[in-house]
Amino acid sequence: MDDITLPKAVANFIAATNAHDANALAAVFGDEATVRDDGTTYTGEAEIREWIQGHLINPKTVITPTSFADDRLVASGDGEFPGGPLSFAFVFGIKDDQVTDLTIDPV
């Protein structure tokens, strides 16, 4: 990851995810943020906190970036879930160092 330059919001997202810190991760997202993952859309703080707990904190997800270009992070995700590690593409919308939109798809 040392040779990949990331926007502050993306770096904060990875750091909070890998630290399994739900509050720091929630703080990465703007008030009206949207997350699309596993065919479901999560909007607003309460739904995003639910997604954070269920998809990142409980399975102890660790994200290892492999590339970043045009707001698209490709990374390996591993944790306490079947089939890992898996490759994912995270497409970020960012405003004022906060994530406003995040779409996650398998690669």
Side-chain angles (χ1 to χ4, degrees), residues 68-79:
F68 184 82
D70 300 322
D71 297 328
R72 183 176 187 259
L73 172 72
V74 176
S76 172
D78 204 0

Side-chain angles (χ1 to χ4, degrees), residues 5-86:
T5 302
L6 300 172
K8 183 177 180 180
V10 175
N12 290 346
F13 173 82
I14 293 167
T17 297
N18 292 352
H20 312 295
D21 185 336
N23 289 329
L25 196 46
V28 170
F29 292 89
D31 293 338
E32 301 297 319
T34 299
V35 173
R36 290 171 200 80
D37 186 23
D38 285 337
T40 303
T41 299
Y42 305 87
T43 304
E45 183 179 0
E47 289 182 11
I48 289 175
R49 278 187 176 274
E50 178 182 318
W51 169 78
I52 287 168
Q53 196 65 46
H55 286 81
L56 301 175
I57 302 301
N58 290 348
K60 298 183 175 119
T61 300
V62 174
I63 297 171
T64 304
T66 55
S67 68
F68 184 82
D70 300 322
D71 297 328
R72 183 176 187 259
L73 172 72
V74 176
S76 172
D78 204 0
E80 295 177 0
F81 52 81
L86 302 171

